Amino acid sequence: MKIIIPVFILVTLVSCKSNQVQSSSSQNNVNAAVTAWHKAAAEANYDNYFNLMTDDAIFIGTDANENWNKKAFQIYAKPYFDKGKAWNFKTLERHVYFDKTMQMAWFDELLDTQMKICRGSGILVKENKQWKIKHYVLSMTVPNENSAEVIKIKMAIEDALIKKLQIKN
């Protein structure tokens, strides 16, 4: 009995350390995948960019009409990549989270972009031991004190879109 308790404690400590190492490694791998994805866009590397997305990936852009599956997004983005200038998002901050299986991760990030600070959020899944983006949402941030001004600017366009979408539903 005297030997069992120290062995149990040792096994528990080693197990906890192993989970921390796995979590840290997974977090590094997710960060590397998202960073590589942004880098591929900055370098206008079409193949690298889209290879980091799952086949059924969704990209939601800053415009209310921008909700693309991967194929539609590829068609939209191809001319930008072909011109050698896609977009260049530099990560300012990123938070990564995992499900219990460590096969799915989600993140939120603040980005320095041509639109100033934007917020990105997404979901990655592990496919064949590689992290791939399954869903991504890009949003422009608006300081609270400027919300009224922004609403005035977009009101006419979005009121028309609201009516169109209400009729659809």
Side-chain angles (χ1 to χ4, degrees):
M1 188 66 160
K2 289 181 180 178
I3 293 176
I4 292 175
I5 292 174
V7 169
F8 177 75
I9 291 171
L10 181 63
V11 168
T12 302
L13 290 174
V14 169
S15 174
C16 289
K17 183 69 172 170
S18 172
N19 288 341
Q20 288 174 341
V21 169
Q22 180 184 4
S23 177
S24 177
S25 173
S26 294
Q27 184 156 352
N28 290 340
N29 291 337
V30 165
N31 276 318
V34 178
T35 298
W37 189 58
H38 289 318
K39 183 177 185 235
E43 296 173 349
N45 189 323
Y46 182 87
D47 290 336
N48 285 357
Y49 185 82
F50 285 102
N51 286 339
L52 285 163
M53 297 173 75
T54 62
D55 291 339
D56 61 347
I58 300 294
F59 185 98
I60 299 175
T62 57
D63 187 291
N65 293 303
E66 295 177 324
N67 188 329
W68 293 299
N69 62 34
K70 182 178 179 178
K71 186 169 282 214
F73 187 47
Q74 286 176 291
I75 292 166
Y76 165 81
K78 184 96 168 87
Y80 296 97
F81 281 84
D82 287 347
K83 289 178 188 170
K85 186 158 174 67
W87 41 90
N88 189 2
F89 298 166
K90 293 178 183 75
T91 305
L92 300 169
E93 170 182 292
R94 183 179 299 137
H95 306 104
V96 178
Y97 311 91
F98 296 91
D99 74 336
K100 290 179 183 177
T101 68
M102 301 297 286
Q103 299 299 303
M104 182 175 69
W106 56 97
F107 67 97
D108 61 84
E109 60 186 357
L110 288 177
L111 303 163
D112 178 5
T113 79
Q114 69 274 15
M115 299 173 280
K116 299 311 235 173
I117 294 178
C118 284
R119 181 176 306 282
S121 60
I123 298 170
L124 290 91
V125 293
K126 226 176 199 183
E127 285 188 354
N128 300 319
K129 299 182 181 182
Q130 181 185 7
W131 286 103
K132 291 197 171 192
I133 294 165
K134 186 171 190 74
H135 194 270
Y136 189 78
V137 178
L138 179 67
S139 306
M140 291 197 303
T141 61
V142 176
N144 289 333
E145 59 270 13
N146 298 109
S147 293
E149 297 164 60
V150 173
I151 292 167
K152 285 179 190 173
I153 292 168
K154 65 184 209 151
M155 189 177 300
I157 293 168
E158 291 192 0
D159 281 348
L161 183 57
I162 289 168
K163 285 180 183 176
K164 179 180 168 186
L165 293 171
Q166 286 174 335
I167 292 168
K168 232 172 137 177
N169 292 326

